Coordinates of all heavy atoms in Angstrom, one line a residue:
G312 N 11.0 -1.2 -5.8 CA 12.0 -2.2 -6.1 C 11.6 -3.6 -5.6 O 12.2 -4.6 -6.0
R313 N 10.6 -3.7 -4.8 CA 10.2 -5.1 -4.2 C 9.4 -5.8 -5.3 O 8.7 -5.2 -6.2 CB 9.4 -4.9 -3.0 CG 10.2 -4.5 -1.8 CD 9.4 -4.8 -0.5 NE 9.1 -6.1 -0.3 CZ 8.4 -6.6 0.8 NH1 8.0 -5.7 1.7 NH2 8.0 -7.8 0.9
S314 N 9.4 -7.1 -5.3 CA 8.5 -8.0 -6.0 C 7.7 -8.8 -5.0 O 8.2 -9.3 -4.0 CB 9.4 -9.0 -6.9 OG 10.0 -8.2 -7.8
L315 N 6.4 -8.9 -5.4 CA 5.5 -9.6 -4.5 C 4.8 -10.8 -5.1 O 3.7 -10.7 -5.6 CB 4.4 -8.6 -4.0 CG 4.9 -7.3 -3.4 CD1 3.8 -6.4 -3.2 CD2 5.7 -7.5 -2.1
P316 N 5.5 -12.0 -5.1 CA 4.9 -13.2 -5.7 C 4.0 -13.9 -4.8 O 4.3 -14.1 -3.5 CB 6.2 -14.1 -6.0 CG 7.2 -13.6 -4.9 CD 6.9 -12.2 -4.7
N317 N 2.9 -14.4 -5.4 CA 1.9 -15.2 -4.6 C 1.5 -14.5 -3.2 O 1.4 -15.2 -2.2 CB 2.5 -16.6 -4.3 CG 2.8 -17.4 -5.6 OD1 4.0 -17.5 -6.0 ND2 1.8 -17.8 -6.4
Q318 N 1.2 -13.3 -3.3 CA 0.8 -12.6 -2.1 C -0.5 -11.9 -2.3 O -0.8 -11.5 -3.4 CB 1.9 -11.6 -1.6 CG 3.2 -12.3 -1.3 CD 4.2 -11.4 -0.7 OE1 3.8 -10.4 0.1 NE2 5.5 -11.5 -1.0
F319 N -1.2 -11.8 -1.2 CA -2.5 -11.0 -1.2 C -2.2 -9.6 -0.6 O -1.8 -9.5 0.6 CB -3.6 -11.7 -0.5 CG -5.0 -11.3 -0.8 CD1 -5.9 -12.2 -1.3 CD2 -5.4 -9.9 -0.6 CE1 -7.2 -11.8 -1.6 CE2 -6.7 -9.6 -0.9 CZ -7.6 -10.5 -1.4
F320 N -2.3 -8.6 -1.3 CA -1.8 -7.3 -0.9 C -3.0 -6.4 -0.8 O -3.8 -6.1 -1.7 CB -0.8 -6.8 -2.0 CG -0.1 -5.5 -1.6 CD1 0.0 -5.1 -0.2 CD2 0.7 -4.8 -2.5 CE1 0.7 -4.0 0.1 CE2 1.4 -3.7 -2.2 CZ 1.4 -3.3 -0.9
I321 N -3.2 -5.8 0.5 CA -4.3 -4.8 0.7 C -3.7 -3.4 1.0 O -2.8 -3.2 1.8 CB -5.1 -5.3 1.9 CG1 -5.8 -6.6 1.7 CG2 -6.1 -4.1 2.3 CD1 -6.6 -7.0 2.9
I322 N -4.1 -2.4 0.2 CA -3.8 -1.1 0.4 C -5.0 -0.4 0.9 O -6.0 -0.1 0.2 CB -3.4 -0.4 -0.9 CG1 -2.2 -1.1 -1.5 CG2 -2.9 1.1 -0.6 CD1 -0.9 -1.1 -0.7
D323 N -5.0 0.0 2.2 CA -6.1 0.7 2.9 C -6.0 2.2 2.7 O -4.9 2.7 2.6 CB -6.2 0.3 4.3 CG -7.5 0.5 5.0 OD1 -8.6 0.5 4.2 OD2 -7.7 0.7 6.2
D324 N -7.1 2.9 2.6 CA -7.1 4.4 2.6 C -6.3 4.8 1.3 O -5.6 5.8 1.3 CB -6.6 5.0 3.8 CG -7.6 5.1 4.9 OD1 -8.8 4.9 4.6 OD2 -7.2 5.4 6.1
A325 N -6.6 4.1 0.2 CA -5.8 4.4 -1.1 C -6.2 5.8 -1.7 O -5.6 6.3 -2.6 CB -6.1 3.3 -2.0
Q326 N -7.2 6.5 -1.2 CA -7.6 7.7 -1.7 C -6.6 8.8 -1.4 O -6.6 9.9 -1.9 CB -9.0 8.2 -1.1 CG -9.0 8.6 0.3 CD -9.0 7.6 1.3 OE1 -9.1 6.4 1.0 NE2 -9.1 8.0 2.6
N327 N -5.7 8.5 -0.5 CA -4.6 9.5 -0.1 C -3.4 9.3 -1.0 O -2.3 9.9 -0.8 CB -4.2 9.4 1.3 CG -5.2 10.0 2.3 OD1 -5.7 11.1 1.9 ND2 -5.6 9.3 3.3
L328 N -3.4 8.4 -2.1 CA -2.3 8.2 -2.9 C -2.4 9.0 -4.2 O -3.5 9.2 -4.7 CB -2.2 6.7 -3.2 CG -1.9 5.7 -2.1 CD1 -2.0 4.3 -2.7 CD2 -0.5 6.0 -1.6
T329 N -1.3 9.4 -4.8 CA -1.4 10.0 -6.1 C -1.4 8.9 -7.2 O -1.0 7.8 -7.0 CB 0.0 10.9 -6.3 OG1 1.1 10.0 -6.3 CG2 0.2 11.9 -5.2
P330 N -1.8 9.3 -8.4 CA -1.7 8.3 -9.5 C -0.4 7.7 -9.7 O -0.2 6.5 -10.0 CB -2.1 9.2 -10.8 CG -3.0 10.2 -10.2 CD -2.4 10.6 -8.8
H331 N 0.7 8.5 -9.5 CA 2.0 7.9 -9.7 C 2.4 6.9 -8.6 O 2.9 5.8 -8.9 CB 3.1 9.0 -9.6 CG 4.5 8.6 -9.6 ND1 5.1 8.0 -10.6 CD2 5.5 8.6 -8.6 CE1 6.3 7.7 -10.4 NE2 6.6 8.0 -9.1
E332 N 1.9 7.1 -7.4 CA 2.1 6.2 -6.3 C 1.4 5.0 -6.5 O 1.9 3.8 -6.2 CB 1.7 6.9 -4.9 CG 2.7 7.9 -4.5 CD 2.2 8.8 -3.3 OE1 1.0 8.8 -3.2 OE2 3.0 9.2 -2.5
V333 N 0.1 5.0 -7.0 CA -0.7 3.8 -7.3 C 0.0 3.0 -8.4 O 0.1 1.8 -8.2 CB -2.1 4.2 -7.7 CG1 -2.8 3.1 -8.4 CG2 -2.9 4.8 -6.6
K334 N 0.5 3.7 -9.4 CA 1.2 2.9 -10.5 C 2.4 2.2 -9.9 O 2.7 1.0 -10.2 CB 1.7 3.9 -11.5 CG 2.4 3.2 -12.7 CD 2.9 4.2 -13.7 CE 3.8 3.6 -14.8 NZ 4.3 4.6 -15.7
T335 N 3.2 2.8 -9.1 CA 4.4 2.2 -8.4 C 4.0 1.0 -7.7 O 4.7 0.0 -7.7 CB 5.2 3.2 -7.6 OG1 5.5 4.4 -8.4 CG2 6.4 2.6 -7.0
I336 N 3.0 1.1 -6.8 CA 2.6 0.0 -6.0 C 2.1 -1.2 -6.8 O 2.4 -2.4 -6.5 CB 1.4 0.5 -5.0 CG1 2.0 1.6 -4.0 CG2 0.8 -0.7 -4.2 CD1 0.9 2.3 -3.2
I337 N 1.1 -1.0 -7.7 CA 0.6 -2.1 -8.5 C 1.6 -2.8 -9.3 O 1.5 -4.0 -9.5 CB -0.6 -1.6 -9.3 CG1 -1.7 -1.0 -8.4 CG2 -1.2 -2.6 -10.2 CD1 -3.0 -0.5 -9.1
S338 N 2.6 -2.1 -9.8 CA 3.6 -2.8 -10.6 C 4.5 -3.7 -9.8 O 5.4 -4.4 -10.3 CB 4.4 -1.7 -11.3 OG 5.0 -0.8 -10.4
R339 N 4.3 -3.7 -8.4 CA 5.2 -4.6 -7.6 C 4.6 -6.0 -7.7 O 5.3 -7.0 -7.4 CB 5.1 -4.2 -6.1 CG 5.5 -2.8 -5.8 CD 6.9 -2.6 -6.2 NE 6.9 -1.9 -7.4 CZ 8.0 -1.9 -8.3 NH1 9.0 -2.6 -8.1 NH2 7.9 -1.3 -9.4
A340 N 3.3 -6.2 -8.2 CA 2.7 -7.5 -8.2 C 3.3 -8.5 -9.2 O 3.6 -8.1 -10.4 CB 1.2 -7.4 -8.4
C341 N 3.5 -9.7 -8.8 CA 4.1 -10.8 -9.6 C 3.0 -11.7 -10.0 O 1.8 -11.5 -9.5 CB 5.2 -11.5 -9.0 SG 6.6 -10.5 -8.6
E342 N 3.3 -12.8 -10.8 CA 2.3 -13.7 -11.1 C 1.8 -14.5 -9.8 O 2.5 -14.8 -8.9 CB 2.9 -14.8 -12.0 CG 3.1 -14.4 -13.4 CD 1.8 -14.0 -14.2 OE1 0.8 -14.7 -13.9 OE2 1.8 -13.1 -15.0
G343 N 0.5 -14.6 -9.8 CA -0.2 -15.3 -8.6 C -0.5 -14.4 -7.4 O -1.0 -14.9 -6.4
S344 N -0.2 -13.1 -7.7 CA -0.6 -12.2 -6.6 C -1.9 -11.4 -6.8 O -2.4 -11.4 -7.9 CB 0.5 -11.1 -6.4 OG 1.7 -11.7 -5.9
K345 N -2.4 -10.9 -5.8 CA -3.7 -10.1 -5.9 C -3.6 -8.8 -5.1 O -3.1 -8.9 -3.9 CB -4.9 -11.0 -5.5 CG -6.2 -10.3 -5.6 CD -7.4 -11.3 -5.4 CE -8.7 -10.7 -5.7 NZ -9.7 -11.7 -6.0
I346 N -4.0 -7.7 -5.6 CA -3.9 -6.5 -4.9 C -5.4 -5.9 -4.8 O -6.2 -5.9 -5.7 CB -3.1 -5.4 -5.7 CG1 -1.7 -6.0 -5.7 CG2 -3.1 -4.1 -5.0 CD1 -0.7 -5.0 -6.4
V347 N -5.7 -5.5 -3.5 CA -7.0 -4.9 -3.3 C -6.8 -3.5 -2.7 O -6.0 -3.3 -1.8 CB -7.8 -5.7 -2.2 CG1 -9.1 -5.0 -1.9 CG2 -8.1 -7.1 -2.8
L348 N -7.4 -2.5 -3.3 CA -7.3 -1.1 -2.9 C -8.7 -0.7 -2.3 O -9.7 -0.8 -3.0 CB -6.8 -0.2 -3.9 CG -5.4 -0.3 -4.4 CD1 -5.2 -1.3 -5.5 CD2 -4.8 1.0 -4.8
T349 N -8.7 -0.1 -1.1 CA -9.9 0.4 -0.5 C -9.8 1.9 -0.3 O -8.7 2.3 0.0 CB -10.2 -0.4 0.8 OG1 -9.4 0.0 1.8 CG2 -10.2 -1.9 0.6
G350 N -10.9 2.5 -0.2 CA -10.9 3.9 0.1 C -12.1 4.7 -0.1 O -13.1 4.1 -0.8
D351 N -12.2 6.0 0.3 CA -13.4 6.8 0.2 C -12.9 8.2 -0.3 O -12.1 8.9 0.4 CB -14.1 7.0 1.5 CG -15.2 7.9 1.4 OD1 -15.6 8.3 0.4 OD2 -15.9 8.1 2.5
P352 N -13.2 8.6 -1.6 CA -12.6 9.9 -2.0 C -13.1 11.1 -1.3 O -12.6 12.2 -1.6 CB -13.1 9.8 -3.5 CG -14.4 8.9 -3.5 CD -14.0 7.8 -2.5
Y353 N -14.1 10.9 -0.4 CA -14.5 12.1 0.4 C -13.9 12.1 1.8 O -14.3 12.9 2.6 CB -16.0 12.0 0.5 CG -16.8 12.2 -0.8 CD1 -17.4 11.1 -1.4 CD2 -16.8 13.4 -1.5 CE1 -18.1 11.2 -2.7 CE2 -17.4 13.5 -2.7 CZ -18.1 12.4 -3.3 OH -18.7 12.6 -4.6
Q354 N -12.9 11.2 2.0 CA -12.1 11.3 3.2 C -10.7 11.4 2.9 O -9.8 10.6 3.4 CB -12.4 9.9 4.0 CG -13.7 9.7 4.5 CD -13.8 8.6 5.4 OE1 -13.5 8.7 6.7 NE2 -14.2 7.4 4.9
I355 N -10.3 12.4 2.1 CA -8.9 12.6 1.7 C -8.2 13.6 2.7 O -8.7 14.6 3.0 CB -8.9 13.2 0.2 CG1 -9.3 12.2 -0.7 CG2 -7.4 13.6 -0.1 CD1 -9.4 12.7 -2.1
D356 N -7.1 13.1 3.2 CA -6.3 13.9 4.2 C -5.1 14.5 3.5 O -4.4 15.4 4.1 CB -5.8 13.0 5.4 CG -7.0 12.4 6.1 OD1 -8.0 13.1 6.4 OD2 -7.0 11.2 6.3
N357 N -4.7 14.1 2.3 CA -3.6 14.7 1.6 C -4.0 16.0 1.0 O -4.8 16.1 0.3 CB -3.2 13.7 0.4 CG -1.9 14.1 -0.2 OD1 -1.6 15.2 -0.4 ND2 -1.1 13.1 -0.7

């Protein structure tokens, strides 16, 4: 439900997210925002 205008958004360890969670997170971005996801698929704890 949040909107993130003009913000730089970092999601660390994103390999622990489901595709649905990733969709929900990225759809928060408004105009002028940037999202960076980092992760290693061989370090999954989920």
Side-chain angles (χ1 to χ4, degrees):
R313 286 193 63 177
S314 295
L315 306 173
N317 300 109
Q318 297 185 39
F319 201 119
F320 191 12
I321 295 179
I322 305 292
D323 201 26
D324 280 343
Q326 76 276 0
N327 283 316
L328 297 172
T329 66
H331 174 70
E332 288 171 329
V333 165
K334 177 182 177 181
T335 302
I336 292 165
I337 294 179
S338 60
R339 302 303 96 207
C341 298
E342 286 295 328
S344 289
K345 183 166 187 164
I346 297 183
V347 176
L348 291 91
T349 70
D351 178 5
Y353 296 109
Q354 293 190 84
I355 293 178
D356 302 311
N357 190 325

